[in-house]
Structures are given as C-alpha cells and as structure tokens.
Amino acid sequence: MQTFPLSLVVMTYNEAHTIARCLDSVPFAAEKLVIDCGSTDDTVAIARACGARVIHQDWLGFGPQRNFAQAQAGHDWILALDADEYLSPALVDEMTAALPALLVSDKAAAWLRRSLIYMGAPMRWYRPAVGDRMARLYHRDRARWRDVRVHESLEFKGPATELKAPFYHLNNRSLLEKQLKVLRYSELKCLDWNDRGKPLRMWQSPWVFVLAFFKDYVLRLGLLDGWRGFAISQTAASYALYKRMRYFEMKHDPDSVATAATALRRHQLDR
C-alpha cells in the first residue's frame, strides 16, 4: 500500500494484547511511533516487530504525554490512536483517498468517528459509543492537546474536515478492568481539580448519580442496548459520583493523596 508523510503515534503501558492490531491497522503511515512509559510485558518487542520506533518516556499525564509524543514525530501530520483502538478497513480506504489533498491543505485537523466494542460486541444504540466524534488526525503546528492529567482533548486553530467511516475502541476486556480505570481516572481528575482550586459542591452529590444514569440510560439510548447499556450507564454514573466523593476526601484529608498514590503504584495503576 502507498504510504503518506504521516506519523501514527501511540502511547503505551503493558499493551501487548492490543498493540499489534493497532499498529497494523494503519498500513499507510510512513512512520509508526510508540511512546512507552515503562511496560513490563512484551509491548515494546511487539511494537518494534510491527515496524514501530519506540521511545521511553516516564508518565507525564495524558495531555503532557501526548504533547511530548507529537514533538517526537517525524512528520507534521499525526494520527493519534490509543493502543486499544484500530482503524476499520472502510476508514483505511477513506483515509487513503482523502490524505493526498488533506496533507497539502490548510486544514488543522480531521474529525474521526469512534465506535465502541463493549462486552465483546459493538454497541448499537448508546450514543457516546456509536460514532463518537473525535479529533485524532491533525497538523501538529496547528493543534495542541490540553495540558491535563486525564480527559485530554485536542485544541486546534483553523478549519477541519470530517471522515465518515469508523475506527474501533475495545473499551475494556472486562468490567474489572473498567472499574480499575475508573479509580485511576478519578484520582487524576481530582488532582486536576485540586490544582485549580475547584470549589466543593457536595450538595450536588445526591443527584449526580441519578441524573448521570438517566442521561446515559435514557437520553443517550443506553436502554436500547439491553443489559450492556445498563452496565455502561451504571459505570458512568458511578464515576460521576465517586470522583466528587474522592475530591471531598482529598480536600478534607490531604494526606490521602499520598496514601492513594501508594495504593495505585502497588496495583500498577499510577499512569
């Protein structure tokens, strides 16, 4: 397949089970770059076997790590994927047709559509999981990731185009892994809140779970995906409530920050 002056950039930590599929799904990238923060499994060896250049960087937080990664890329146009994401064959065809014009244009980015695979199958109705619109293809001189520990998003200046075919996200291989991710992301979000001095609004907490569940299960059509929709809505609502309770604890017991960091390291969840 023809290649284009484009860098596929992937951040990894113990992703041996997914990294090959991710890298192999982008056959048109002239460069495949993996930024690894200390994997203890075969991630690095597999990435190199797939033709990727691997750079080690201790974990900086999601936004800073992505900004570090794009600075290491050999090309200005970057496709950013997570290790548990991969392009569909339809998107490969669409991108190879669109890239010749896009790469010489004044566009800052391209919106891609992400579809979620949850509990072993694609979600069919739940709106955030069906065609989630994300800026993942961009020119690095016209865009930068928000400098936050978690829930980073790409900020760019200039016009953007949009591609229609999906790329896929294997959300988590089990609910256990999802719950562990909720704990880790909550801690990172609370640390960001703490840095900004976000005010406590615990009076909202009794309603947070109910309203978050209603939004995802009813308004976002989770109920049409059956028990999988119930599970994903419950997890989202629990995350919304738990991070507020954890932030309350963090403000009232500052020593809990160090205690939690020790626990996360013990369970290898500190990135």
Side-chain angles (χ1 to χ4, degrees):
M1 175 174 287
Q2 179 184 3
T3 59
F4 298 95
L6 170 81
S7 294
L8 167 64
V9 177
V10 186
M11 303 189 308
T12 59
Y13 178 71
N14 288 346
E15 305 286 357
H17 56 291
T18 59
I19 187 61
R21 178 178 55 198
C22 174
L23 295 173
D24 290 345
S25 75
V26 191
F28 52 79
E31 178 187 45
K32 298 179 182 182
L33 174 63
V34 167
I35 306 298
D36 187 80
C37 63
S39 293
T40 57
D41 63 6
D42 292 331
T43 297
V44 170
I46 294 171
R48 287 176 174 151
C50 291
R53 178 166 61 98
V54 180
I55 296 175
H56 173 83
Q57 171 59 50
D58 292 340
W59 186 243
L60 303 171
F62 280 94
Q65 193 84 351
R66 287 198 189 275
N67 286 324
F68 170 84
Q70 73 178 33
Q72 312 309 308
H75 300 282
D76 288 334
W77 276 94
I78 291 171
L79 173 62
L81 292 180
D82 293 339
D84 58 358
E85 297 171 340
Y86 56 99
L87 303 191
S88 66
L91 183 54
V92 171
D93 291 342
E94 187 177 6
M95 290 184 74
T96 54
L99 281 172
L102 178 62
L103 296 182
V104 297
S105 73
D106 64 349
K107 296 286 195 299
W111 294 99
L112 307 183
R113 296 282 181 173
R114 185 174 75 171
S115 292
L116 177 67
I117 297 175
Y118 186 71
M119 290 187 174
M123 298 295 281
R124 297 182 59 197
W125 295 98
Y126 177 59
R127 302 323 301 163
V130 181
D132 193 14
R133 190 167 176 261
M134 312 186 82
R136 291 293 193 85
L137 176 61
Y138 63 96
H139 192 292
R140 65 178 168 190
D141 291 339
R142 304 164 192 163
R144 182 174 176 82
W145 295 91
R146 289 183 60 229
D147 194 18
V148 293
R149 289 183 176 92
V150 69
H151 300 317
E152 75 285 11
S153 58
L154 186 70
E155 297 177 329
F156 57 88
K157 296 181 179 179
T161 189
E162 184 169 344
L163 302 178
K164 301 299 183 184
F167 70 102
Y168 294 113
H169 178 208
L170 179 61
N171 183 253
N172 291 104
R173 292 180 298 170
S174 68
L175 278 177
L176 172 63
E177 290 173 296
K178 181 62 176 178
Q179 293 301 320
L180 294 174
K181 182 180 285 188
V182 164
L183 293 175
R184 178 165 62 95
Y185 280 22
S186 296
E187 195 68 17
L188 296 173
K189 189 66 175 178
C190 289
L191 289 171
D192 275 343
W193 284 350
N194 199 36
D195 288 347
R196 301 201 317 262
K198 178 182 172 70
L200 286 170
R201 296 190 178 96
M202 288 303 291
W203 60 269
Q204 297 175 345
S205 296
W207 304 102
V208 163
F209 181 91
V210 173
L211 294 176
F213 182 84
F214 179 80
K215 179 180 70 175
D216 277 22
Y217 193 60
V218 178
L219 301 182
R220 292 179 167 179
L221 305 182
L223 77 170
L224 297 181
D225 274 308
W227 286 111
R228 291 190 306 140
F230 181 91
I232 204 168
S233 300
Q234 186 276 336
T235 301
S238 294
Y239 171 62
L241 177 59
Y242 172 78
K243 65 186 177 184
R244 286 165 173 80
M245 296 190 298
R246 175 65 184 114
Y247 185 51
F248 175 84
E249 179 184 38
M250 191 177 288
K251 299 298 285 186
H252 282 77
D253 181 12
D255 290 343
S256 70
V257 174
T259 302
T262 299
L264 290 172
R265 284 193 297 271
R266 185 167 63 247
H267 296 286
Q268 295 186 326
L269 297 173
D270 57 337
R271 63 141 315 268

